[in-house]
Amino acid sequence: MKKIIPLILKYGIAFSIAAFFVWLSLKDIKEQDKHDILQALMRAKFLLLLPVFGLMLLSHIFRSLRWKQLIEPMGYKPPVFDLLCGVMLGYLANQFIPRAGEIARCTVVSKQQKIPVEKLIGTILAERAFDLLCLLLLSVSAFFLQYSYFSGYAAEIVGRLGANLHKGGLKFWLTVTIILATMLILVVFVKRMAGTKTKLLVVKIWKGLAEGFISIKKLRHKWLFILYTLAIWACYILSTWMGCFALAETQHLGITAGVALLVFGTFGIIVAPGGLGAYPYAIQKTLLLYNVSENIGIASGWLLMLAQVAFVLIFGTLAYFAVEYRNRQYEKHGISST
């Protein structure tokens, strides 16, 4: 029961955030607005989403190739196809259980390749840190490339943030203090468990995570890792921009607008599980900066998000059957895939 309650709270909060953004994007919609949005979606050129699917698949292939670069310094050589299946199953898991994708991805590859899960998680942490840096750099680039659009909007956001921090300053610093105190207590608690099995398990997991994380320092082909990273984000930008061509009202937007949509849309995905509600809302608000109406913004946001969901469901399901087939082959021949 003690384990169930935190899980209920975790997923309850996640889906509550998603529900809030769904409500936020739809609360002011009137009957005429619903009609306009529906008409925009019915006019959409869905065939133009096929190149989007192709670019998304290509981005995941590059992600798998980059992941292999992080795994190899630890002494393992997993096939790229198995890593791709793990990546796709991770995204599929995220559609149903928030933040479960990383665990699912590592579990699938660990079972096939006999690589400790904690080491794989460490490599994913390294990936996430690097991708976060890329997102920040892309955000800064988008701001300066589209300064005329974002300057006033950014000033408004910073002003609101400052006002909220000033208004609730005590609450903010109290929260920070509690978080830091909790981390300190955990460190002291682990140190006092000397000689216990629990400490040995914690140390083992920590060493595995550390080995996976620092594998980025032991890369044999650093420039190849950077090249794969650039290719991943280039596919993200192009797929987002290509999605704009599906609607007549957004097909005039340039690739710099695609960068802006990617940046704000990614933050929407981070905020809510699978970006549900938050992603369409972020796309709608970003398109407003380019004088695209709110109704078209909503239609475009949901169209792009549903395209991503459809892609993950299709290719995630194919990855599941591929993994099952390969597992049976490995068991049949009594060998590991490594």
Side-chain angles (χ1 to χ4, degrees):
M1 188 68 180
K2 290 182 179 179
K3 293 182 179 180
I4 294 175
I5 292 176
L7 285 174
I8 293 174
L9 288 173
K10 177 182 176 181
Y11 296 131
I13 292 171
F15 283 110
S16 295
I17 292 172
F20 169 74
F21 278 103
V22 171
W23 170 81
L24 195 63
S25 62
L26 302 177
K27 67 183 179 69
D28 296 324
I29 292 181
K30 300 179 176 59
E31 287 301 320
Q32 183 59 45
D33 296 326
K34 292 179 182 178
H35 178 267
D36 293 342
I37 293 169
L38 183 60
Q39 288 298 311
L41 290 173
M42 290 178 66
R43 294 194 306 270
K45 301 172 185 176
F46 290 99
L47 284 178
L48 290 178
L49 294 178
L50 292 179
V52 174
F53 277 29
L55 287 164
M56 291 170 69
L57 179 59
L58 195 58
S59 74
H60 296 319
I61 293 172
F62 285 130
R63 181 171 291 280
S64 303
L65 288 166
R66 188 182 69 171
W67 193 17
K68 185 174 182 177
Q69 292 282 307
L70 290 170
I71 295 173
E72 284 184 339
M74 297 187 294
Y76 305 96
K77 295 184 180 296
V80 174
F81 183 77
D82 287 350
L83 296 180
L84 176 61
C85 289
V87 169
M88 292 311 310
L89 284 173
Y91 282 108
L92 183 63
N94 272 338
Q95 295 298 319
F96 300 99
I97 305 175
R99 312 308 176 199
E102 285 76 7
I103 301 299
R105 172 179 164 184
C106 292
T107 302
V108 169
V109 175
S110 175
K111 182 179 178 181
Q112 288 186 325
Q113 304 301 314
K114 311 304 178 188
I115 306 173
V117 173
E118 62 271 13
K119 292 185 179 183
L120 290 173
I121 293 176
T123 61
I124 289 180
L125 290 175
E127 262 197 331
R128 289 290 179 262
F130 205 76
D131 281 335
L132 180 59
L133 176 62
C134 291
L135 178 60
L136 292 175
L137 291 174
L138 198 62
S139 300
V140 173
S141 300
F143 179 79
F144 285 107
L145 285 171
Q146 302 279 271
Y147 181 78
S148 59
Y149 292 102
F150 294 152
S151 56
Y153 186 54
E156 181 183 348
I157 291 175
V158 171
R160 288 182 181 178
L161 179 62
N164 289 335
L165 285 177
H166 179 73
K167 184 178 179 181
L170 179 61
K171 185 186 291 186
F172 172 77
W173 290 111
L174 183 61
T175 302
V176 171
T177 303
I178 291 172
I179 292 172
L180 292 175
T182 303
M183 291 174 65
L184 180 62
I185 291 170
L186 285 173
V187 170
V188 173
F189 176 72
V190 170
K191 284 186 176 180
R192 289 188 176 182
M193 292 192 303
T196 65
K197 292 182 178 179
T198 306
K199 183 187 176 182
L200 293 175
L201 178 61
V202 170
V203 170
K204 179 184 176 183
I205 293 173
W206 175 256
K207 285 183 177 178
L209 288 171
E211 184 179 351
F213 188 80
I214 64 175
S215 63
I216 198 168
K217 293 183 178 180
K218 301 177 181 179
L219 288 173
R220 297 169 187 171
H221 308 287
K222 290 183 172 62
W223 285 108
L224 192 58
F225 180 87
I226 294 172
L227 181 63
Y228 287 147
T229 300
L230 293 174
I232 290 168
W233 285 92
C235 288
Y236 286 168
I237 293 170
L238 290 172
S239 63
T240 305
W241 181 47
M242 286 296 296
C244 295
F245 287 86
L247 293 178
E249 294 85 352
T250 56
Q251 66 181 6
H252 67 282
L253 296 174
I255 194 167
T256 50
V259 173
L261 290 170
L262 172 64
V263 168
F264 286 104
T266 301
F267 284 120
I269 292 173
I270 293 172
V271 167
L276 182 61
Y279 180 86
Y281 182 76
I283 296 297
Q284 178 201 26
K285 294 303 178 184
T286 306
L287 287 175
L288 280 175
L289 301 175
Y290 298 92
N291 297 316
V292 176
S293 70
E294 288 193 355
N295 290 343
I296 296 300
I298 292 174
S300 181
W302 282 102
L303 182 64
L304 290 173
M305 180 181 166
L306 291 175
Q308 293 177 36
V309 171
F311 171 85
V312 169
L313 291 177
I314 293 169
F315 285 91
T317 302
L318 290 174
Y320 171 79
F321 288 115
V323 167
E324 288 295 307
Y325 174 77
R326 287 175 75 83
N327 284 342
R328 285 196 296 269
Q329 292 299 308
Y330 296 150
E331 291 172 5
K332 180 179 178 180
H333 297 288
I335 59 174
S336 169
S337 56
T338 49

